[in-house]
Amino acid sequence: SDKGSGRVKITGKNIPLGAYTIFEKIAPDNGLVEFFRKFVKNGYITEMDFLLDTNKEMLTKDSLLGKAKIQKLDFSYDPDLPQLKNMDMDIDVLDSNITFKINSAYSSDILLYQGLILMNWQGLDNTELKITAKARGSATSLTDFISPQQHQEMNKANIDLRKIIGQADLDVNIDIPLKPGTKNIYNISAHITKVSLSIFENYVKLTNATIKGVFN
C-alpha cells in the first residue's frame, strides 16, 4: 500500500471463492455478497492483481482496477436448469464494469467456449448479467433443459427426445436480471446435425436429419 495516496495493491493466488463468506459476517446485507451466495458455487481464484483507491467510494471511477483468473467455478444461473460447471475464465475489473471471459465451461456435457459475461454493478436490484457464448455437444445433453413434466407429455405421444442422437452447435444469449423475483431471458439457437430418432412407438425412424430450433 501507498499510505500517502490511499492506493492499495491486492494480490493473491489459489484463493477459494468461498472466502467471500467472511464478508457475510461483516456485511450480511451487501448486494455483492448476496450475488455470490445465490449464483456462485465452488471455484478458485488462481491469481489476482487489483489496485484499490481507498480515498474513493467503492466502484466509482478509478476506485478498483485489476485482473483475475478463476478455475473450477460452478455458476447456478437458474434453479431449474443445469449449472455451468468447471468454468475457466479471466476477469477484468474497471470500477463497476466487470468482464468475465469464459475460456471454457460445461453445461451437462455441452462445452461452452468464446464466452463473455458482462456486468455493470449497480446494486442487486439494478444489475443485469449478459451472457454470450458458442457451445457444442451431444443433442442428448440438450434434453436436460426440458422439464420432467414436458418429457412426460411428449412420452404420451411416443416421443422420447432423450434417445436422440446427433451433434449440436449453439449460439447462446442469456440476460439475467439479479433482482430477486425476476426471470431470465433466453435466446439459445441450436443447429443439430446427423440426427437419428425413433418416434411413434418406433414405427418411424429419422436418420441423418438436421434440426434447427430456439430455446426461449
Side-chain angles (χ1 to χ4, degrees):
S1 64
D2 185 335
K3 294 180 180 179
S5 68
R7 296 167 76 88
V8 179
K9 187 172 185 179
I10 305 168
T11 61
K13 291 185 177 182
N14 299 322
I15 303 169
L17 281 174
Y20 81 87
T21 54
I22 297 171
F23 297 100
E24 285 184 319
K25 304 183 188 307
I26 301 172
D29 297 323
N30 182 276
L32 203 51
V33 171
E34 175 62 22
F35 165 74
F36 273 90
R37 182 191 296 121
K38 182 177 180 180
F39 291 97
V40 175
K41 317 293 179 185
N42 307 315
Y44 285 85
I45 301 173
T46 57
E47 56 183 282
M48 67 176 180
D49 191 345
F50 289 103
L51 192 62
L52 172 66
D53 192 334
T54 59
N55 290 326
K56 297 182 178 180
E57 185 179 345
M58 188 67 167
L59 298 183
T60 58
K61 184 172 175 56
D62 297 331
S63 63
L64 181 63
L65 309 171
K67 298 178 180 292
K69 291 182 178 292
I70 292 181
Q71 291 184 338
K72 298 184 178 180
L73 172 71
D74 294 341
F75 182 62
S76 180
Y77 62 95
D78 189 310
D80 297 322
L81 297 176
Q83 289 184 357
L84 291 178
K85 299 183 70 68
N86 203 20
M87 296 178 72
D88 181 311
M89 61 186 180
D90 298 311
I91 300 177
D92 281 315
V93 178
L94 178 58
D95 306 316
S96 62
N97 291 301
I98 306 174
T99 301
F100 304 83
K101 179 186 175 185
I102 304 172
N103 301 313
S104 63
Y106 285 89
S107 178
S108 296
D109 292 325
I110 298 172
L111 171 66
L112 277 78
Y113 59 97
Q114 294 181 13
L116 284 177
I117 303 176
L118 302 179
M119 178 170 73
N120 182 6
W121 180 256
Q122 302 293 330
L124 196 66
D125 287 350
N126 299 302
T127 300
E128 183 175 273
L129 300 182
K130 292 187 174 293
I131 300 177
T132 59
K134 300 287 188 181
R136 173 172 291 178
S138 67
T140 307
S141 298
L142 292 178
T143 62
D144 291 339
F145 291 85
I146 301 174
S147 71
Q149 181 180 357
Q150 290 170 322
H151 278 297
Q152 290 175 6
E153 290 298 319
M154 284 186 287
N155 284 342
K156 292 177 182 178
N158 298 309
I159 299 173
D160 188 354
L161 288 180
R162 285 170 290 201
K163 294 180 180 179
I164 192 171
I165 296 172
Q167 176 74 30
D169 288 282
L170 302 99
D171 283 303
V172 177
N173 288 273
I174 308 174
D175 293 339
I176 304 176
L178 301 188
K179 184 177 181 179
T182 54
K183 293 186 177 181
N184 300 339
I185 300 170
Y186 296 94
N187 184 6
I188 302 175
S189 60
H191 183 92
I192 311 170
T193 55
K194 298 182 180 178
V195 175
S196 296
L197 177 66
S198 295
I199 56 177
F200 305 130
E201 293 184 336
N202 296 323
Y203 286 120
V204 176
K205 183 174 179 63
L206 302 176
T207 58
N208 202 28
T210 297
I211 296 176
K212 296 180 182 180
V214 175
F215 177 87
N216 54 38

